[in-house]
Amino acid sequence: MKVLIVQPIHESGINLLKSAGFEVVYASSSDPKVVAKEIKGIDGVIVRAAPFTSEIIEQADALKVISRHGVGVDNIDIESASKKGILVLNTPGVNDVSVAEHTIAIILALSKRIKDIDNAVRVGNFNIREEYSIIDIDGKTLGIIGFGRIGSLVAKKCKNAFNMRILVYDPYVDKERVKEVDGELVDLETLLRESDFVTIHAPLNDETRGLIGERELRMMKSSAFIINMARGPIWDENAVARALSEGWIRGAGTDVFEEEPPDKDNPLLKLNNIILSPHMAALTKECVIRMAVGSAQGVIDVLTGKKPKSIVNYSLLEKYRKI
Ligand code: NAD
């Protein structure tokens, strides 16, 4: 049986597939038009962040499983896959630590102005130290949008390491879970008005697309920071750029963009008070191995008739009576 790798993954995943007896083939490009041509005769695919569209799924004639290397499945047309009875899997729990650490790195870099002060010393501006512009995070309020695996880990680490006050907005968790990290479950407006740092860890879906726009950013303190570790379209990039350039908020950080890679005219690229990273929070040396092995194991499980660990489209498969 053949497994198609749409974008490169760590060799540990490839070796696992080969040692289970599968033939591994590589897409010549992640462009859906190209993948649609190369999907014929393929039994399983491993997908990273590239779009896996209905155009591809329509052309699939042997596909049984789409295994997402990572968590967010917004790039996969799950409805089309489910109609054809194709299982969609992901690898939850393998990247929580890496993304939580990246979030905290950004929180610290923003509050201590690491990028600015390093640059200042290099250009002879030692006097930047007299601006008294860096802050402590001890005791500050951290607002977490999306209290799942990553959001709750960020909360736990920031509570334990930095004694931060934790506010949570998540319509699908109960307050008892939030209490475990000594946090408070609040509405979005309270979170935005009271937080010194807001960090986004919700999935991208119809409900969260555009969740943070001008109205929400204007609710935030002018001294506050906002961080997006989830998906670009959850916030309105143009509104964030205006908030940063017009001083509605102090700073921001993001690992994700509405379009990836961002266009060179993206307004966020022109601002100094935002820290940018190229969707790599989960790409630590350790995590790429966990994701490669996890996604490969999912393909092996399905193609050898075992129950995979994490099926994303279980209820849709039931709806279409495909399971
Ligand atoms: P998760 O499913 O464990 O948690 C998501 C949480 O968001 C859940 O608690 C859910 O109830 C909550 N949520 C759903 N709708 C919401 C809404 N409208 N408002 C607020 N909260 C809402 O997922 P996770 O593993 O914690 O990952 C979260 C997201 O982070 C993923 O969906 C993915 O898009 C993103 N992610 C990014 C990277 C990266 O490299 N930057 C890596 C991994 C995950």
Side-chain angles (χ1 to χ4, degrees):
M1 281 197 269
K2 279 189 190 169
V3 179
L4 178 73
I5 309 295
V6 178
Q7 289 171 294
I9 65 166
H10 190 271
E11 60 181 20
S12 52
I14 304 293
N15 293 341
L16 192 63
L17 289 166
K18 286 183 178 166
S19 63
F22 295 104
E23 184 186 342
V24 176
V25 293
Y26 299 87
S28 22
S29 153
S30 60
D31 180 339
K33 286 191 174 38
V34 176
V35 181
K37 285 193 186 128
E38 298 178 352
I39 198 74
K40 290 231 158 44
I42 297 293
D43 299 281
V45 288
I46 294 185
V47 178
R48 286 179 56 185
F52 202 83
T53 58
S54 58
E55 181 187 5
I56 305 171
I57 294 166
E58 275 163 25
Q59 296 305 314
D61 54 1
L63 194 61
K64 292 154 201 78
V65 55
I66 301 167
S67 188
R68 168 74 166 99
H69 175 283
V71 180
V73 285
D74 47 281
N75 58 320
I76 300 171
D77 191 324
I78 298 179
E79 189 86 29
S80 300
S82 308
K83 280 184 190 158
K84 279 188 101 167
I86 300 168
L87 267 77
V88 179
L89 316 178
N90 67 352
T91 55
V94 299
N95 54 18
D96 313 355
V97 167
S98 315
V99 181
E101 287 184 4
H102 203 85
T103 308
I104 294 164
I106 302 274
I107 292 174
L108 285 167
L110 286 167
S111 52
K112 307 299 174 188
R113 296 187 61 194
I114 300 297
K115 207 168 65 131
D116 303 335
I117 60 180
D118 174 274
N119 192 46
V121 175
R122 289 170 200 279
V123 300
N125 179 18
F126 209 76
N127 259 347
I128 194 169
R129 65 197 292 275
E130 305 302 335
E131 287 178 13
Y132 308 148
S133 58
I134 64 173
I135 59 166
D136 292 336
I137 58 173
D138 184 282
K140 295 284 189 317
T141 300
L142 174 65
I144 298 182
I145 299 177
F147 194 71
R149 286 170 290 253
I150 298 170
S152 59
L153 190 58
V154 171
K156 200 184 295 170
K157 288 179 181 289
C158 287
K159 182 81 208 173
N160 292 342
F162 304 115
N163 183 37
M164 295 183 87
R165 175 185 171 222
I166 307 294
L167 297 182
V168 169
Y169 169 68
D170 186 327
Y172 305 104
V173 296
D174 61 50
K175 40 178 197 267
E176 297 313 311
R177 266 205 59 217
V178 178
K179 271 197 192 140
E180 285 167 22
V181 294
D182 202 13
E184 299 159 56
L185 190 60
V186 294
D187 57 43
L188 184 57
E189 181 166 345
T190 305
L191 180 143
L192 293 167
R193 290 197 188 284
E194 294 189 15
S195 296
D196 300 298
F197 297 86
V198 171
T199 182
I200 307 172
H201 300 288
L204 174 64
N205 55 35
D206 291 346
E207 213 179 85
T208 59
R209 189 177 297 275
L211 185 70
I212 303 296
E214 171 167 351
R215 184 174 158 271
E216 290 72 27
L217 291 160
R218 284 194 185 275
M219 289 176 185
M220 292 177 62
K221 299 182 193 177
S222 57
S223 57
F225 300 90
I226 185 162
I227 294 153
N228 188 355
M229 281 293 133
R231 285 293 181 267
I234 296 178
W235 70 9
D236 173 349
E237 280 179 355
N238 287 319
V240 173
R242 282 185 58 214
L244 291 168
S245 56
E246 294 174 17
W248 315 344
I249 59 174
R250 181 165 172 199
T254 191
D255 189 44
V256 288
F257 297 85
E258 283 177 15
E259 186 192 325
E260 294 183 3
D263 189 90
K264 64 174 180 16
D265 294 324
N266 184 314
L268 297 181
L269 272 55
K270 299 183 171 54
L271 295 164
N272 279 331
N273 53 346
I274 179 165
I275 294 180
L276 308 172
S277 72
H279 202 150
M280 63 180 289
L283 303 185
T284 64
K285 286 184 185 229
E286 297 83 359
C287 190
V288 291
I289 296 174
R290 292 193 295 266
M291 291 192 292
V293 169
S295 54
Q297 189 60 53
V299 169
I300 296 169
D301 288 345
V302 173
L303 297 182
T304 58
K306 293 195 195 98
K307 190 168 182 270
K309 254 194 191 159
S310 176
I311 305 175
V312 175
N313 61 338
Y314 198 87
S315 54
L316 274 174
L317 288 166
E318 271 186 324
K319 177 176 145 193
Y320 293 117
R321 300 181 185 282
K322 298 285 187 185
I323 209 160

